[in-house]
Every structure is written in structure tokens, then in C-alpha cells.
């Protein structure tokens, strides 16, 4: 399971359910720009616990919703017992 992509997929899904643009979301968060939101949604960011809490709060959901497997594509979920990351460290994929 690619955790960053799962968070990004859920974040985008929840944002779109509320008809919020990436720009509006960035404004509501206050300390990020639209590019950060785009990178987050594509799995290119590894948000901290604090950021996950802030994202959930702005969306009005429990932070656990950002980790929901319900409806997530198989290429993101894969084997839920194997946690992977799409964010590289020194050019190598972490696992």
C-alpha cells in the first residue's frame, strides 16, 4: 500500500465532494499554495501528522478518513500489509 498516494487520493475525493478547488483549499489551510495541494493529491508529498490533522479539520472529517481504503484503486492499495511510500529518499523508493 502506498500511504502517500492513499492520503492524496482520499484528500482529493473529499475536497471534490465539497466542490472546493485546489486554490480554495490552499487558502483555507493558509500556509500552503496550490502547488503543494497538487503534489499532495498525486502522492508526491509525505504529510506530517500535524498536516494530516489540519487537512482533515478544514475538510470537516476525522483524520482517519484520509487513510480510508474504501473505494481506493487497487494500484494504491496493493497489498495492505505491505506499506510503501512513493516519496523517494536518496533516489530510492522506500518500503
Amino acid at each position: 500500500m502506498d500511504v502517500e498516494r492513499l492520503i492524496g487520493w482520499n484528500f482529493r475525493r473529499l475536497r471534490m465532494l465539497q466542490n472546493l478547488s485546489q486554490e480554495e483549499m490552499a487558502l483555507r489551510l493558509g500556509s500552503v499554495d496550490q502547488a503543494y495541494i497538487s503534489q499532495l493529491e498525486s502522492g508526491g508529498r509525505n504529510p506530517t501528522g500535524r498536516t494530516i490533522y489540519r487537512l482533515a479539520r478544514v475538510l470537516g472529517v476525522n483524520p482517519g478518513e484520509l487513510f480510508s481504503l474504501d473505494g481506493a484503486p487497487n494500484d494504491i492499495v496493493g497489498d495492505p500489509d505491505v506499506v510503501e511510500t512513493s516519496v523517494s529518499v536518496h533516489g530510492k523508493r522506500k518500503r
Side-chain angles (χ1 to χ4, degrees):
M1 174 172 42
D2 188 328
V3 176
E4 288 85 9
R5 287 184 60 211
L6 179 64
I7 291 169
W9 182 83
N10 278 305
F11 177 72
R12 182 176 191 274
R13 176 180 62 81
L14 293 164
R15 175 184 62 77
M16 292 183 76
L17 281 173
Q18 295 186 26
N19 295 315
L20 296 172
S21 68
Q22 290 180 342
E23 293 83 4
E24 178 64 28
M25 205 58 207
L27 287 171
R28 290 184 181 197
L29 287 165
S31 61
V32 300
D33 59 13
Q34 181 273 329
Y36 179 88
I37 300 296
S38 177
Q39 291 170 348
L40 178 75
E41 290 183 358
S42 67
R45 289 289 184 157
N46 184 8
T48 64
R50 178 176 285 183
T51 299
I52 290 169
Y53 176 79
R54 288 179 54 224
L55 296 172
R57 188 167 182 210
V58 168
L59 289 168
V61 299
N62 183 300
E65 285 291 314
L66 294 171
F67 295 92
S68 175
L69 299 175
D70 293 341
N74 287 336
D75 65 317
I76 292 175
V77 177
D79 182 350
D81 294 327
V82 177
V83 177
E84 296 179 349
T85 179
S86 56
V87 178
S88 67
V89 174
H90 306 296
K92 298 180 181 176
R93 183 175 173 90
K94 291 174 29 179
R95 187 168 203 180

